[in-house]
Amino acid sequence: METLRAAHQGGSTKVRSQSFTRRIPHSAYAQHAQHAVKQLPSQLRAPRVVSLSRQKYYKSNIPRSRNLCSASMSRRSIFASLYAAGGAWLVEHPAPLWLVNNPVKRWVAEKSAGEYDAAAVSSKLADLLAGDDIVVFSATYCPFSLAAKRALAAEGVAFKVYETNTMEDGGPIVAELGKLTGRTSIPHIFIGGESVGGCNDGTPGIRPLIASGGLPAALAEASRRNSAGL
């Protein structure tokens, strides 16, 4: 394979290759280069390699870039549609309570928490619940936690999030949540200090609550309880 190099000298271009060196006029250089390129293997003749002008480069590459972007957007759209469909199905078919709230899960949560001051953690939990109308105990790795937070954000309501897996006392807090409500599953959402469950399940779960139109009433009740000091 010949490798062409051009060096301008006066009114001509000097073309060197592994096998020859000769001078040719500028007017003949483009034709000579095109002929040499045709001798290259096909994999080296991609438009971005052999385009002889910027105009040709952009004409040959922009459609390809658009196609790649369109394909990427199509994949994202398909994933978003599947995610939304799965969420809608889970709202209609929540996990049974015996699966979500069971003694084995509470036992695992308590063992994972290790030794801690139960009275101090319980007092802290009460303070956290009293601080905001909507409190979400979440985990950064949990897709259901993410779905619950997105659902609340879409409603335009304010809520406070505690990521239990990044809190120093997150394990004890989850264990105390289990003692308080019988539920150690994450996410765990409270409105006005009252548990509504998780993302798709519970009493009734945040997405079923939103789907039924019950969120405004729950927030109104939370405000009433706060005003009454309950």
Side-chain angles (χ1 to χ4, degrees), residues 55-75:
Q55 183 179 9
K56 285 185 179 180
Y57 172 83
Y58 287 114
K59 284 184 178 180
S60 61
N61 283 270
I62 286 178
R64 182 182 179 187
S65 299
R66 286 175 178 169
N67 289 337
L68 290 175
C69 290
S70 297
S72 177
M73 290 180 67
S74 296
R75 286 193 293 270

Side-chain angles (χ1 to χ4, degrees), residues 62-98:
I62 286 178
R64 182 182 179 187
S65 299
R66 286 175 178 169
N67 289 337
L68 290 175
C69 290
S70 297
S72 177
M73 290 180 67
S74 296
R75 286 193 293 270
R76 286 197 294 268
S77 297
I78 291 172
F79 178 80
S81 298
L82 291 174
Y83 185 83
W89 187 89
L90 287 171
V91 168
E92 297 295 331
H93 304 84
L97 292 181
W98 64 262

Side-chain angles (χ1 to χ4, degrees), residues 136-157:
V136 180
F137 293 97
S138 170
T140 56
Y141 57 80
C142 174
F144 293 105
S145 296
L146 177 60
K149 289 179 285 189
R150 284 179 173 174
L152 286 168
E155 294 300 306
V157 297

Side-chain angles (χ1 to χ4, degrees), residues 36-57:
V37 165
K38 289 180 181 179
Q39 311 306 314
L40 297 174
S42 60
Q43 63 268 29
L44 296 180
R45 285 190 273 121
R48 60 185 177 188
V49 175
V50 303
S51 292
L52 298 178
S53 69
R54 289 184 177 179
Q55 183 179 9
K56 285 185 179 180
Y57 172 83

Side-chain angles (χ1 to χ4, degrees), residues 85-150:
W89 187 89
L90 287 171
V91 168
E92 297 295 331
H93 304 84
L97 292 181
W98 64 262
L99 181 62
V100 178
N101 305 338
N102 64 75
V104 174
K105 294 184 71 173
R106 291 197 297 272
W107 180 83
V108 170
E110 291 172 5
K111 292 299 180 183
S112 300
E115 295 184 1
Y116 64 92
D117 187 337
V121 174
S122 179
S123 176
K124 178 178 179 178
L125 179 59
D127 291 340
L128 296 180
L129 293 176
D132 298 88
D133 284 348
I134 303 179
V135 177
V136 180
F137 293 97
S138 170
T140 56
Y141 57 80
C142 174
F144 293 105
S145 296
L146 177 60
K149 289 179 285 189
R150 284 179 173 174

